Amino acid sequence: MTKAKPGRHFLQIPGPTNLPERVRQALSRPAMDHRGPDSAKLAHRILERLHPVFQTGGPVIIYPSSGSGAWEAALVNTLSPGDRVLFGSNGQFSTNWQRVAAGVGLTVEELQGDWRCPVDLSALENRLAEDRGREIRALAIVHNETSTGVVNDIEGARAALDRTGHDALLMVDVISSLGAMEYRHEAWGVDVTIAGSQKGLMTPPGLGFNAASPKALAAKETAGLPCSYWDWTQILEFNRSGFFPYTPATNLLSGLDEALSLLHEEGLDNVFARHERLAEATRRAVRGWGLEVYCRDPKAYSQALTAVTMPAGYNADVLRQVILERFDMSLGTGLGQIKGKVFRIGHLGDLNDLMLAGTLCGVEMGLAACEVPHVSGGVSEALAFLAKDR
Ligand SMILES: *Cc1c(COP(=O)(O)O)cnc(C)c1O
């Protein structure tokens, strides 16, 4: 007999995130004619309302894909076999993106940094300055490293390119920051922005995005990597009339349409402020427990998730397992080299004060149940913070 689970599951991983009720309803609309007038209206409405989310007036391309597909799309549309891509690397998602780049025949160079800190911009600038032959064709950085809860300074990376007069394309993964934290494709001088549907955008997994700058679109003209399914040109041509070259994920698009309504009704600035507040409350609880936030640089704290360091000798995955069994809550696991050493609290997407309070209570009860050394009552630091006037 399966164990009864009254109440609702707490999904507090940093993506996929909770689906708002309105999005769930939109997902269950009947299948539609993807070449009919309603589909065209839907696509136009979505494409128009994605611009302020990416903060761009330029094209945004939507794929029926995971975020990793959109990584590959960014690379194969703009680069040629053997081109060198420099990765400012400080976490597992950068590592995974490098594997995709190597897999499509690019030369990967990793500027390996401390996982607990943002990418070192002076080391980055030095490497760019050294590259007098301009072998580096793209600089690739993850904005919000979901494996660590560390945010990289994209404007700083742009400034490093500008100061060295380097012409490499700037590619930025915002899969876990878009819709949760401030991001500006155009103002920050990004050439290709890569996003996914299942995190800040509160839509199920299955949609990938590329936002492209004029420079990226120009690079497309001479790019030599094989590119067919991911080809921007064909998609943009079809998009003009509200269609796609192949069957789009229509039900997911309906969900995204509703999620965009929710984001714009709340107002993006309010959405970001809400995330900032929930993140601060989370960090207060962590400190209250006497535990450590994995990110060492307060300027680089993620507003989307917090990775918490386990005391030495205690396995984070055991804690997660107990919390799942006892309290029906999913927390994020430690990825790659920090497996077992951290757990991650997702606090992005469709989330309010009481959902976060419940989440933090679940963590505190789990710490007690597993006899992990901690100060009990840390959660009250978060509650006191949330109770204050906004
Ligand atoms: C989730 C995530 C990905 C991977 O997205 P998939 O949809 O699983 O392919 C890549 N980068 C970052 C920063 C992420 O948070």
Side-chain angles (χ1 to χ4, degrees):
M1 211 174 74
T2 50
K3 194 168 158 243
K5 286 181 184 162
R8 78 157 176 83
H9 177 69
F10 267 61
L11 181 68
Q12 297 304 144
I13 59 175
T17 62
N18 293 292
L19 299 177
E21 186 53 32
R22 275 169 57 184
V23 170
R24 296 207 322 158
Q25 303 244 346
L27 290 166
S28 67
R29 280 180 204 141
M32 63 200 299
D33 172 6
H34 66 295
R35 302 199 196 281
D38 289 347
S39 283
K41 268 189 231 140
L42 175 66
H44 281 310
R45 198 160 64 230
I46 289 173
L47 290 168
E48 186 187 307
R49 294 190 301 162
L50 279 173
H51 287 138
V53 174
F54 284 85
Q55 289 286 305
T56 181
V60 178
I61 295 107
I62 308 175
Y63 296 107
S65 80
S66 75
S68 304
W71 273 341
E72 178 163 331
L75 300 167
V76 297
N77 272 285
T78 55
L79 299 169
S80 296
D83 277 358
R84 179 174 293 263
V85 183
L86 177 65
F87 283 84
S89 173
N90 58 340
Q92 189 60 37
F93 285 101
S94 174
T95 307
N96 294 354
W97 192 4
Q98 289 167 52
R99 206 188 48 230
V100 169
V104 298
L106 293 163
T107 304
V108 169
E109 179 176 334
E110 182 178 42
L111 185 82
Q112 179 63 264
D114 182 341
W115 276 31
R116 301 188 68 171
C117 298
V119 167
D120 179 347
L121 292 177
S122 56
L124 186 71
E125 186 164 335
N126 288 342
R127 177 62 190 102
L128 292 169
E130 261 173 28
D131 182 34
R132 288 195 189 80
R134 299 294 183 249
E135 270 181 44
I136 297 167
R137 300 316 307 144
L139 168 61
I141 301 192
V142 175
H143 181 216
N144 182 63
E145 240 309 343
T146 322
S147 58
T148 57
V150 174
V151 178
N152 288 313
D153 176 0
I154 303 307
E155 287 176 280
R158 176 76 259 166
L161 284 163
D162 291 347
R163 270 197 298 269
T164 52
H166 205 296
D167 65 350
L169 294 165
L170 177 58
M171 299 191 182
V172 179
D173 168 345
V174 299
I175 294 175
S176 63
S177 49
L178 197 74
M181 297 158 52
E182 189 189 32
Y183 179 75
R184 297 179 175 274
H185 172 89
E186 229 163 63
W188 294 356
V190 178
D191 292 304
V192 189
T193 295
I194 296 105
S197 50
Q198 74 271 33
K199 300 184 185 179
L201 297 183
M202 305 181 290
T203 303
L207 295 175
F209 305 87
N210 280 175
S213 73
K215 185 171 154 184
L217 293 169
K220 163 116 203 75
E221 300 300 313
T222 55
L225 279 170
C227 175
S228 168
Y229 184 75
W230 303 116
D231 193 327
W232 291 343
T233 313
Q234 217 197 354
I235 297 172
L236 290 173
E237 259 168 45
F238 273 78
N239 280 178
R240 270 196 285 280
S241 51
F243 298 109
F244 295 84
Y246 38 73
T247 316
T250 45
N251 285 56
L252 290 180
L253 291 177
S254 292
L256 176 64
D257 187 38
E258 201 58 42
L260 289 170
S261 296
L262 287 167
L263 286 174
H264 290 307
E265 282 165 25
E266 184 175 356
L268 286 170
D269 288 342
N270 296 327
V271 171
F272 302 151
R274 173 167 57 81
H275 281 81
E276 200 173 319
R277 192 164 161 278
L278 296 174
E280 175 61 27
T282 304
R283 292 188 295 265
R284 287 185 186 218
V286 173
R287 285 189 212 107
W289 294 322
L291 299 180
E292 229 184 306
V293 173
Y294 185 71
C295 175
R296 275 211 177 101
D297 180 351
K299 288 192 301 297
Y301 283 152
S302 171
Q303 317 298 2
L305 77 141
T306 300
V308 183
T309 310
M310 284 296 277
Y314 292 84
N315 188 326
D317 287 338
V318 173
L319 173 70
R320 286 177 51 255
Q321 182 70 24
V322 168
I323 289 175
L324 177 62
E325 280 166 10
R326 293 275 306 272
F327 309 116
D328 199 16
M329 175 163 74
S330 296
L331 296 170
T333 186
L335 298 174
Q337 67 189 44
I338 51 177
K339 178 142 191 70
K341 296 191 164 63
V342 306
F343 63 92
R344 295 172 300 147
I345 304 171
H347 37 73
L348 77 162
D350 187 36
L351 194 70
N352 63 23
D353 289 8
L354 287 186
M355 288 162 81
L356 183 76
T359 300
L360 297 174
C361 286
V363 174
E364 183 160 329
M365 290 189 289
L367 291 168
C370 293
E371 297 179 19
V372 175
H374 72 287
V375 180
S376 82
V379 75
S380 60
E381 304 285 335
L383 302 187
F385 175 75
L386 292 174
K388 275 192 311 204
D389 248 347
R390 303 194 181 184

Short mmCIF file of all heavy atoms in Angstrom, two decimals, residues 249-284:
data_model
loop_
_atom_site.label_atom_id
_atom_site.label_comp_id
_atom_site.label_asym_id
_atom_site.label_seq_id
_atom_site.Cartn_x
_atom_site.Cartn_y
_atom_site.Cartn_z
N ALA A 249 5.12 23.76 -29.20
CA ALA A 249 4.52 23.10 -28.03
C ALA A 249 3.32 23.94 -27.60
O ALA A 249 3.40 24.73 -26.65
CB ALA A 249 5.55 22.98 -26.92
N THR A 250 2.20 23.79 -28.31
CA THR A 250 1.09 24.74 -28.18
C THR A 250 0.55 24.85 -26.75
O THR A 250 0.28 25.94 -26.27
CB THR A 250 -0.06 24.40 -29.14
OG1 THR A 250 -0.28 22.99 -29.10
CG2 THR A 250 0.29 24.79 -30.56
N ASN A 251 0.40 23.71 -26.07
CA ASN A 251 -0.15 23.80 -24.71
C ASN A 251 0.82 24.51 -23.76
O ASN A 251 0.39 25.28 -22.89
CB ASN A 251 -0.52 22.42 -24.17
CG ASN A 251 -1.80 21.91 -24.80
OD1 ASN A 251 -1.88 21.83 -26.03
ND2 ASN A 251 -2.80 21.60 -24.00
N LEU A 252 2.11 24.28 -23.96
CA LEU A 252 3.09 24.99 -23.12
C LEU A 252 3.05 26.48 -23.43
O LEU A 252 3.20 27.31 -22.53
CB LEU A 252 4.50 24.45 -23.36
CG LEU A 252 4.78 23.04 -22.84
CD1 LEU A 252 6.23 22.64 -23.14
CD2 LEU A 252 4.52 22.96 -21.34
N LEU A 253 2.83 26.82 -24.70
CA LEU A 253 2.74 28.24 -25.05
C LEU A 253 1.52 28.88 -24.37
O LEU A 253 1.59 30.02 -23.90
CB LEU A 253 2.66 28.42 -26.57
CG LEU A 253 3.94 28.07 -27.34
CD1 LEU A 253 3.72 28.21 -28.84
CD2 LEU A 253 5.12 28.95 -26.90
N SER A 254 0.42 28.13 -24.28
CA SER A 254 -0.75 28.65 -23.56
C SER A 254 -0.42 28.89 -22.10
O SER A 254 -0.82 29.90 -21.50
CB SER A 254 -1.93 27.67 -23.64
OG SER A 254 -2.40 27.60 -24.95
N GLY A 255 0.34 27.97 -21.50
CA GLY A 255 0.77 28.14 -20.11
C GLY A 255 1.66 29.35 -19.96
O GLY A 255 1.50 30.17 -19.04
N LEU A 256 2.61 29.50 -20.89
CA LEU A 256 3.53 30.63 -20.84
C LEU A 256 2.77 31.95 -20.99
O LEU A 256 3.08 32.94 -20.31
CB LEU A 256 4.58 30.50 -21.95
CG LEU A 256 5.56 31.66 -22.08
CD1 LEU A 256 6.43 31.79 -20.83
CD2 LEU A 256 6.45 31.48 -23.32
N ASP A 257 1.78 31.97 -21.85
CA ASP A 257 0.96 33.16 -22.07
C ASP A 257 0.36 33.63 -20.73
O ASP A 257 0.39 34.82 -20.39
CB ASP A 257 -0.15 32.78 -23.07
CG ASP A 257 -0.97 33.98 -23.51
OD1 ASP A 257 -0.40 35.06 -23.69
OD2 ASP A 257 -2.20 33.80 -23.67
N GLU A 258 -0.16 32.68 -19.98
CA GLU A 258 -0.78 33.01 -18.69
C GLU A 258 0.29 33.43 -17.68
O GLU A 258 0.09 34.37 -16.89
CB GLU A 258 -1.55 31.78 -18.18
CG GLU A 258 -2.61 32.08 -17.17
CD GLU A 258 -3.67 33.05 -17.68
OE1 GLU A 258 -4.11 32.92 -18.84
OE2 GLU A 258 -4.04 33.95 -16.91
N ALA A 259 1.42 32.76 -17.70
CA ALA A 259 2.51 33.12 -16.78
C ALA A 259 2.99 34.55 -17.06
O ALA A 259 3.28 35.32 -16.13
CB ALA A 259 3.67 32.14 -16.91
N LEU A 260 3.04 34.92 -18.35
CA LEU A 260 3.45 36.29 -18.69
C LEU A 260 2.42 37.29 -18.19
O LEU A 260 2.78 38.37 -17.71
CB LEU A 260 3.65 36.43 -20.21
CG LEU A 260 4.88 35.70 -20.77
CD1 LEU A 260 4.85 35.69 -22.30
CD2 LEU A 260 6.17 36.34 -20.27
N SER A 261 1.14 36.92 -18.26
CA SER A 261 0.11 37.80 -17.70
C SER A 261 0.35 38.00 -16.21
O SER A 261 0.28 39.13 -15.71
CB SER A 261 -1.30 37.20 -17.90
OG SER A 261 -1.59 37.12 -19.27
N LEU A 262 0.63 36.91 -15.51
CA LEU A 262 0.87 37.01 -14.06
C LEU A 262 2.07 37.92 -13.78
O LEU A 262 2.01 38.78 -12.89
CB LEU A 262 1.12 35.62 -13.48
CG LEU A 262 -0.10 34.71 -13.37
CD1 LEU A 262 0.32 33.26 -13.09
CD2 LEU A 262 -1.04 35.20 -12.28
N LEU A 263 3.16 37.72 -14.51
CA LEU A 263 4.37 38.53 -14.27
C LEU A 263 4.08 40.01 -14.52
O LEU A 263 4.49 40.88 -13.75
CB LEU A 263 5.52 38.08 -15.18
CG LEU A 263 6.21 36.77 -14.84
CD1 LEU A 263 7.23 36.39 -15.91
CD2 LEU A 263 6.91 36.86 -13.47
N HIS A 264 3.36 40.30 -15.61
CA HIS A 264 3.12 41.70 -15.94
C HIS A 264 2.06 42.32 -15.04
O HIS A 264 2.11 43.52 -14.75
CB HIS A 264 2.78 41.85 -17.42
CG HIS A 264 3.98 41.58 -18.32
ND1 HIS A 264 5.18 42.24 -18.15
CD2 HIS A 264 4.17 40.72 -19.34
CE1 HIS A 264 6.05 41.79 -19.06
NE2 HIS A 264 5.46 40.86 -19.79
N GLU A 265 1.09 41.53 -14.57
CA GLU A 265 0.11 42.06 -13.61
C GLU A 265 0.79 42.46 -12.30
O GLU A 265 0.48 43.49 -11.71
CB GLU A 265 -0.99 41.02 -13.33
CG GLU A 265 -2.02 40.92 -14.43
CD GLU A 265 -2.88 39.66 -14.32
OE1 GLU A 265 -3.03 39.11 -13.20
OE2 GLU A 265 -3.40 39.21 -15.36
N GLU A 266 1.69 41.61 -11.85
CA GLU A 266 2.40 41.93 -10.60
C GLU A 266 3.40 43.06 -10.83
O GLU A 266 3.62 43.89 -9.94
CB GLU A 266 3.13 40.67 -10.07
CG GLU A 266 3.82 40.89 -8.72
CD GLU A 266 4.44 39.61 -8.15
OE1 GLU A 266 4.27 38.53 -8.75
OE2 GLU A 266 5.08 39.72 -7.09
N GLY A 267 3.94 43.13 -12.02
CA GLY A 267 4.96 44.13 -12.35
C GLY A 267 6.33 43.54 -12.09
O GLY A 267 6.60 43.04 -10.99
N LEU A 268 7.21 43.59 -13.09
CA LEU A 268 8.50 42.90 -12.96
C LEU A 268 9.30 43.40 -11.76
O LEU A 268 9.91 42.62 -11.05
CB LEU A 268 9.31 43.04 -14.25
CG LEU A 268 8.81 42.16 -15.40
CD1 LEU A 268 9.51 42.53 -16.71
CD2 LEU A 268 9.04 40.67 -15.10
N ASP A 269 9.25 44.71 -11.50
CA ASP A 269 10.02 45.23 -10.36
C ASP A 269 9.50 44.65 -9.05
O ASP A 269 10.28 44.34 -8.14
CB ASP A 269 9.96 46.76 -10.33
CG ASP A 269 10.81 47.36 -11.44
OD1 ASP A 269 11.68 46.65 -11.99
OD2 ASP A 269 10.59 48.55 -11.78
N ASN A 270 8.18 44.49 -8.95
CA ASN A 270 7.61 43.89 -7.74
C ASN A 270 7.98 42.42 -7.63
O ASN A 270 8.21 41.90 -6.54
CB ASN A 270 6.09 44.04 -7.73
CG ASN A 270 5.68 45.50 -7.67
OD1 ASN A 270 6.37 46.32 -7.05
ND2 ASN A 270 4.57 45.83 -8.31
N VAL A 271 8.01 41.75 -8.77
CA VAL A 271 8.41 40.33 -8.78
C VAL A 271 9.84 40.20 -8.24
O VAL A 271 10.12 39.36 -7.38
CB VAL A 271 8.33 39.75 -10.22
CG1 VAL A 271 8.95 38.36 -10.29
CG2 VAL A 271 6.88 39.71 -10.70
N PHE A 272 10.72 41.08 -8.72
CA PHE A 272 12.12 41.00 -8.27
C PHE A 272 12.22 41.33 -6.78
O PHE A 272 12.97 40.68 -6.03
CB PHE A 272 13.02 41.94 -9.08
CG PHE A 272 12.99 41.68 -10.57
CD1 PHE A 272 13.22 42.70 -11.48
CD2 PHE A 272 12.72 40.40 -11.07
CE1 PHE A 272 13.18 42.46 -12.86
CE2 PHE A 272 12.69 40.15 -12.44
CZ PHE A 272 12.92 41.19 -13.33
N ALA A 273 11.46 42.34 -6.34
CA ALA A 273 11.52 42.74 -4.92
C ALA A 273 11.00 41.60 -4.04
O ALA A 273 11.54 41.35 -2.95
CB ALA A 273 10.69 44.01 -4.70
N ARG A 274 9.97 40.91 -4.50
CA ARG A 274 9.44 39.78 -3.73
C ARG A 274 10.51 38.69 -3.59
O ARG A 274 10.73 38.14 -2.51
CB ARG A 274 8.19 39.23 -4.45
CG ARG A 274 7.62 37.95 -3.87
CD ARG A 274 6.22 37.65 -4.41
NE ARG A 274 6.14 37.56 -5.86
CZ ARG A 274 6.47 36.48 -6.57
NH1 ARG A 274 6.88 35.37 -5.98
NH2 ARG A 274 6.37 36.49 -7.90
N HIS A 275 11.19 38.39 -4.68
CA HIS A 275 12.25 37.38 -4.62
C HIS A 275 13.38 37.80 -3.67
O HIS A 275 13.92 36.99 -2.92
CB HIS A 275 12.80 37.08 -6.01
CG HIS A 275 11.92 36.18 -6.83
ND1 HIS A 275 10.82 36.63 -7.50
CD2 HIS A 275 11.97 34.85 -7.06
CE1 HIS A 275 10.23 35.61 -8.12
NE2 HIS A 275 10.90 34.52 -7.87
N GLU A 276 13.72 39.08 -3.73
CA GLU A 276 14.81 39.59 -2.90
C GLU A 276 14.46 39.42 -1.42
O GLU A 276 15.29 39.00 -0.60
CB GLU A 276 15.01 41.07 -3.23
CG GLU A 276 16.33 41.62 -2.84
CD GLU A 276 16.50 43.05 -3.35
OE1 GLU A 276 16.10 43.34 -4.50
OE2 GLU A 276 17.03 43.87 -2.57
N ARG A 277 13.21 39.72 -1.11
CA ARG A 277 12.74 39.65 0.28
C ARG A 277 12.71 38.19 0.76
O ARG A 277 13.16 37.89 1.87
CB ARG A 277 11.34 40.27 0.29
CG ARG A 277 10.77 40.54 1.61
CD ARG A 277 9.59 41.51 1.45
NE ARG A 277 8.80 41.39 2.65
CZ ARG A 277 7.91 40.43 2.85
NH1 ARG A 277 7.67 39.55 1.90
NH2 ARG A 277 7.26 40.36 3.99
N LEU A 278 12.20 37.29 -0.06
CA LEU A 278 12.13 35.88 0.34
C LEU A 278 13.54 35.30 0.49
O LEU A 278 13.79 34.48 1.37
CB LEU A 278 11.31 35.08 -0.68
CG LEU A 278 9.82 35.49 -0.78
CD1 LEU A 278 9.12 34.73 -1.91
CD2 LEU A 278 9.08 35.27 0.54
N ALA A 279 14.45 35.75 -0.38
CA ALA A 279 15.83 35.27 -0.29
C ALA A 279 16.48 35.75 1.00
O ALA A 279 17.18 34.98 1.68
CB ALA A 279 16.63 35.77 -1.50
N GLU A 280 16.24 37.01 1.34
CA GLU A 280 16.83 37.56 2.58
C GLU A 280 16.29 36.81 3.79
O GLU A 280 17.03 36.46 4.71
CB GLU A 280 16.54 39.06 2.67
CG GLU A 280 16.99 39.75 3.96
CD GLU A 280 18.50 39.67 4.21
OE1 GLU A 280 19.27 39.56 3.25
OE2 GLU A 280 18.89 39.69 5.41
N ALA A 281 14.99 36.55 3.80
CA ALA A 281 14.39 35.80 4.91
C ALA A 281 15.05 34.42 5.03
O ALA A 281 15.35 33.96 6.14
CB ALA A 281 12.89 35.67 4.70
N THR A 282 15.27 33.78 3.90
CA THR A 282 15.89 32.45 3.90
C THR A 282 17.29 32.50 4.51
O THR A 282 17.65 31.68 5.36
CB THR A 282 15.96 31.90 2.46
OG1 THR A 282 14.64 31.90 1.92
CG2 THR A 282 16.53 30.49 2.43
N ARG A 283 18.07 33.49 4.08
CA ARG A 283 19.44 33.59 4.60
C ARG A 283 19.43 33.87 6.10
O ARG A 283 20.29 33.38 6.84
CB ARG A 283 20.21 34.67 3.84
CG ARG A 283 20.46 34.30 2.38
CD ARG A 283 21.40 35.28 1.70
NE ARG A 283 20.84 36.62 1.58
CZ ARG A 283 20.19 37.06 0.49
NH1 ARG A 283 20.03 36.29 -0.57
NH2 ARG A 283 19.72 38.29 0.45
N ARG A 284 18.45 34.64 6.56
CA ARG A 284 18.36 34.90 8.02
C ARG A 284 18.10 33.61 8.78
O ARG A 284 18.64 33.40 9.86
CB ARG A 284 17.29 35.94 8.30
CG ARG A 284 17.78 37.32 7.87
CD ARG A 284 16.81 38.41 8.24
NE ARG A 284 17.29 39.65 7.67
CZ ARG A 284 17.23 40.83 8.26
NH1 ARG A 284 16.68 40.94 9.45
NH2 ARG A 284 17.70 41.90 7.65
#
